[in-house]
Amino acid sequence: MTSSIMGYQRKDGRKGIRNTIVVAYLVECAHFVATEIAQEFRDQDVQVIGFPGCFPNEYAQVMMERLCTHPNVAGALLVSLGCESFNKPRLHNAVEASGRPVNTLVIQMNKGTAKSIAAGRAWVKDALDQVADVPRAPMAMSELVVGTICGGSDGTSGISGNPAAGKAFDLLVEQGAACIFEETGELIGCEEVMAARAETPELGDELRAAVAKAAHYYDTLGYGSFAAGNATGGLSTIEEKSLGAYVKSGASPISGLIKPGDVPPRGGLYLMDVVPDGEVRFGFPNISDNAEIVEMIASGAHLTLFVTGRGSVVGSAISPVIKICANPDTWNAMSDDMDVNAGAIIEGQATLDQVGREIYDTVVNVATGQPTKSEALGHREFILTYKSFDPIGPACLPAA
């Protein structure tokens, strides 16, 4: 398989498949101003991201640094109220060091809302003109990072959409891409199966420990990652849901375990541990699909495969989301929001291999510039909250 992808060549050496300007608020008090700035450029690739908290959090700081220097990002406008605790000079310097245009707009120093919006729009307009000349360069499949997630799962997810995504992952890994699957809280019961696929026994132990941590996290919360909609859709237990979620990882060996913001060092298959380290604390929320997409983007994902049975309409800021619909009834009801009809497997109109190939081809098409359904509709969801993670150990990346 040959790649026809022409990436945007960044000065830090990486390549992107989009050329996005992000308007990043650094506290919730600056969210409105950031949104009003970006609204002026609704039909252009200008997207709002941000961290709402006022108290500093190293996880959020690192996430914002990774996101504002993501390969798909061409430049960043940082919008600050002025008195929040976010370390804006550190973020500004990180973006500047990557060779991207960056500006920090402080509302309290810019005479308030209206003048800040006007100044922000003027900067974004100039930045768009500047990044229009970013050079393009051939991009190999081995330079691509792809995430996968499932949400709104039902009884069809594990027999059509998720295994088809797994087939696509196997094709991508074969071509040298880095593929990330996640949500250890939805892999409870699959830890031994995953450990058997690990490249080393030590990595296998790390995979087991990550799932055990997730089980403790949800036990402390008093509920698991199992929603009423899952039960209505035909799932009965977290173990049953886990089996369906697991198969989207495909059959390739597992090359490593990463945490949000860790960039895979090479091609291969990686599990992302999204459950916070340490004891469960107030303010560290239950896991959500949109937050997990953001975390995979922070780890370099150029795009994300999103498998759904019940139906989901979300996209994401920065990186495109490809919707894979597992349920033929949902496809018939919501095809305007879906990119791939994996329900055709259930109806006997296609095989797992055929839909897996279709997903792979869709990845290539989107990477070459074709918008996904969520992109075309204007979906740019984004969530970033408080969390805390310990650094990964050497056993987590045995072949780094």
Side-chain angles (χ1 to χ4, degrees):
M1 303 176 207
T2 58
S3 172
S4 57
I5 304 170
M6 292 294 291
Y8 292 91
Q9 181 67 64
R10 305 299 175 200
K11 291 181 180 178
D12 59 11
R14 296 192 293 172
K15 296 169 188 169
I17 64 170
R18 294 294 185 269
N19 204 36
T20 302
I21 295 291
V22 293
V23 181
Y25 58 92
L26 307 184
V27 66
E28 183 61 27
C29 307
H31 194 165
F32 174 80
V33 170
T35 300
E36 287 296 301
I37 291 169
Q39 188 69 18
E40 181 81 359
F41 308 95
R42 181 178 176 85
D43 296 328
Q44 300 178 68
D45 198 356
V46 177
Q47 306 196 23
V48 176
I49 66 171
F51 175 59
C54 193
F55 191 79
N57 178 245
E58 180 64 16
Y59 157 80
Q61 181 81 35
V62 170
M63 291 286 288
M64 289 293 285
E65 291 173 12
R66 299 289 190 273
L67 293 163
C68 289
T69 59
H70 187 278
N72 289 354
V73 171
L77 175 64
L78 314 180
V79 184
S80 159
L81 176 61
C83 56
E84 72 278 354
S85 298
F86 195 97
N87 191 338
K88 50 185 173 287
R90 174 178 155 182
L91 177 56
H92 184 112
N93 292 339
V95 181
E96 187 174 56
S98 76
R100 292 163 171 80
V102 59
N103 185 44
T104 299
L105 178 66
V106 181
I107 297 168
Q108 290 170 347
M109 297 174 62
N110 206 70
K111 299 183 179 180
T113 297
K115 288 183 173 60
S116 296
I117 291 170
R121 288 175 175 174
W123 187 89
V124 171
K125 183 177 184 299
D126 288 343
L128 285 169
D129 292 338
Q130 183 178 344
V131 304
D133 295 327
V134 171
R136 306 295 292 270
M139 185 174 177
M141 293 300 291
S142 59
E143 298 177 88
L144 201 64
V145 183
V146 182
T148 187
I149 186 171
C150 51
S153 300
D154 68 6
T156 68
S157 298
I159 58 177
S160 60
N162 283 342
K167 293 285 187 181
F169 256 28
D170 289 340
L171 293 172
L172 288 162
V173 170
E174 185 180 302
Q175 294 298 304
C179 294
I180 305 170
F181 71 111
E182 47 60 65
E183 182 47 304
T184 45
E186 292 180 1
L187 292 170
I188 295 169
C190 300
E191 54 268 36
E192 293 301 328
V193 184
M194 287 195 298
R197 291 171 58 192
E199 288 191 1
T200 65
E202 293 77 14
L203 174 59
D205 290 339
E206 295 286 351
L207 298 174
R208 292 186 186 94
V211 175
K213 181 182 69 170
H216 170 72
Y217 183 89
Y218 284 112
D219 183 60
T220 304
L221 286 174
Y223 55 88
S225 182
F226 190 90
N230 298 143
T232 304
L235 294 172
S236 62
T237 62
I238 184 59
E239 289 82 4
E240 188 176 39
K241 184 178 180 180
S242 293
L243 289 169
Y246 165 75
V247 294
K248 69 180 183 292
S249 67
S252 303
I254 298 176
S255 300
L257 171 73
I258 61 175
K259 296 181 182 182
D262 296 328
V263 178
R266 60 172 176 84
L269 179 66
Y270 297 83
L271 173 64
M272 175 176 283
D273 178 4
V274 299
V275 174
D277 289 318
E279 289 303 312
V280 180
R281 282 179 274 173
F282 178 78
F284 282 30
N286 191 6
I287 313 304
S288 74
D289 297 336
N290 287 309
E292 290 168 0
I293 293 173
V294 168
E295 289 175 326
M296 287 190 290
I297 294 171
S299 289
H302 291 91
L303 49 81
T304 301
L305 310 179
F306 191 133
V307 182
T308 184
R310 298 298 305 275
S312 173
V313 300
V314 303
S316 188
I318 299 178
S319 295
V321 173
I322 295 172
K323 292 285 185 37
I324 302 164
C325 186
N327 191 319
D329 292 337
T330 303
W331 173 266
N332 291 334
M334 299 182 64
S335 59
D336 288 347
D337 286 276
M338 304 296 161
D339 297 285
V340 177
N341 179 19
I345 297 166
I346 292 174
E347 294 186 317
Q349 297 173 359
T351 65
L352 276 173
D353 286 332
Q354 287 171 334
V355 176
R357 169 66 61 172
E358 182 183 353
I359 296 168
Y360 175 91
D361 291 341
T362 303
V363 168
V364 174
N365 291 338
V366 170
T368 57
Q370 175 183 301
T372 65
K373 293 290 184 68
S374 61
E375 280 186 290
L377 289 165
H379 279 283
R380 294 172 178 179
E381 282 78 8
F382 185 91
I383 299 175
L384 180 58
T385 58
Y386 286 97
K387 282 188 179 182
S388 179
F389 288 96
D390 299 328
I392 57 174
C396 295
L397 292 176

